[in-house]
Amino acid sequence: MAGSSDDDSTSKLWAWLGGIASLLAILAWLGVSNAQEMKELLAESSPPSSSSTPYEPPETVHTPDDPETSDADTADPDSYDDSSGGSDEPDSETSSPTPDPTEESFKAVSVGDCLMVYDTGRGGDSIDWSADVPPAPVPCNSQGAGLVQVTSITDTTCPSGAGKASWMYTSAVSGETTNLCVTRIYQKHYCVLGKQVGDKTELGSMTAVDCRAQQIPAAYNRIIHITGVYQAPANAGPRNCMQGPGDQTQYLAWLVNDDKVLLCAKIFQSG
């Protein structure tokens, strides 16, 4: 039994020596020549300790053209609409003022424009304009010239007198007033309305009428035919309307437009 134990010890010794020899051969192959290099090699190959920084996966980044990206991936959390509360953004539909087409038409008029509008005479002492809103301007010096010319635009009052008037509009939307100050353009052969009062005939200076009209507004009783429009001379009167020495026509004459224009006319028909 003692011989068998010695053989086992001898075998283990030789196995141990063989293992050392194999290890030295491996170290030589790796280029390790001393114990310090061996320690460094073992340190490099050892797993990280539990105190090392834990691994964190990289943050996923999607580009705008990434088909995997959804609206929820890219939306700003602060941009979500809170259905339980109102939005701070103003409602454009309610905050925008309602336009006033009539006001826009009045504000589209410019000083110097000529308009084909006139007093119908149906308003009596007040002007009843032939249009609800200013029409498109027309040429001022032609056969189809307008009947009034805009001389100024104001939010107060306009000059008054024969051949002058105002066309005013106050918007219920904006509260603003636009007042078109207009001067009448008189043309030969046109007809206007008049009113016989005693031995005088009053002129509806802003009116216009068909010379052969079958009815005359109640405030008037004459249709007057314009025979001439002249620059007013000094002391102008009916005699300045005569067409020649033998002219026996009974003319009517008025100074209009700040007494600068002599308007000559005659009664066309009575009503």
Side-chain angles (χ1 to χ4, degrees):
M1 294 294 291
S4 175
S5 176
D6 291 340
D7 291 340
D8 289 340
S9 298
T10 301
S11 298
K12 291 178 179 180
L13 177 60
W14 282 108
W16 182 75
L17 291 175
I20 291 175
S22 298
L23 178 59
L24 292 175
I26 293 172
L27 292 175
W29 181 77
L30 293 173
V32 178
S33 59
N34 53 51
Q36 181 62 31
E37 293 179 356
M38 180 65 179
K39 182 178 179 180
E40 293 174 356
L41 178 63
L42 292 176
E44 292 175 358
S45 61
S46 61
S49 65
S50 59
S51 61
S52 302
T53 303
Y55 171 77
E56 295 183 1
E59 182 180 356
T60 301
V61 178
H62 295 289
T63 59
D65 56 354
D66 187 348
E68 298 280 333
T69 304
S70 66
D71 293 339
D73 295 329
T74 58
D76 183 351
D78 294 335
S79 66
Y80 288 110
D81 183 19
D82 183 3
S83 59
S84 63
S87 172
D88 293 336
E89 294 295 329
D91 188 346
S92 59
E93 293 184 359
T94 58
S95 61
S96 299
T98 303
D100 183 344
T102 300
E103 181 180 35
E104 292 176 355
S105 296
F106 272 81
K107 289 187 176 297
V109 177
S110 300
V111 173
D113 284 352
C114 289
L115 308 175
M116 187 61 74
V117 291
Y118 57 93
D119 178 13
T120 66
R122 291 191 292 267
D125 293 335
S126 300
I127 293 179
D128 175 54
W129 292 106
S130 59
D132 294 329
V133 298
V138 295
C140 295
N141 297 311
S142 69
Q143 187 174 359
L147 294 177
V148 299
Q149 184 172 30
V150 180
T151 53
S152 64
I153 300 175
T154 181
D155 58 357
T156 56
T157 58
C158 294
S160 60
K164 293 181 177 294
S166 67
W167 192 4
M168 182 185 297
Y169 177 76
T170 300
S171 172
V173 176
S174 69
E176 295 183 4
T177 296
T178 304
N179 199 0
L180 307 180
C181 302
V182 298
T183 297
R184 176 62 190 269
I185 300 173
Y186 296 100
Q187 298 189 52
K188 187 177 180 179
H189 304 312
Y190 278 47
C191 284
V192 295
L193 293 170
K195 182 178 181 180
Q196 186 75 29
V197 180
D199 59 353
K200 294 184 179 180
T201 302
E202 297 178 356
L203 174 70
S205 64
M206 303 302 296
T207 64
V209 65
D210 181 355
C211 295
R212 301 184 184 279
Q214 298 299 312
Q215 292 184 337
I216 298 176
Y220 298 92
N221 55 19
R222 297 286 187 272
I223 292 180
I224 298 170
H225 182 254
I226 298 174
T227 59
V229 181
Y230 310 101
Q231 183 176 350
N235 301 315
R239 65 185 181 280
N240 299 111
C241 298
M242 297 175 61
Q243 302 297 313
D247 190 353
Q248 301 297 315
T249 305
Q250 294 184 349
Y251 290 101
L252 302 173
W254 296 274
L255 292 175
V256 297
N257 299 348
D258 297 325
D259 295 341
K260 296 178 181 178
V261 174
L262 173 64
L263 184 66
C264 296
K266 62 182 180 180
I267 302 297
F268 189 86
Q269 62 171 300
S270 301

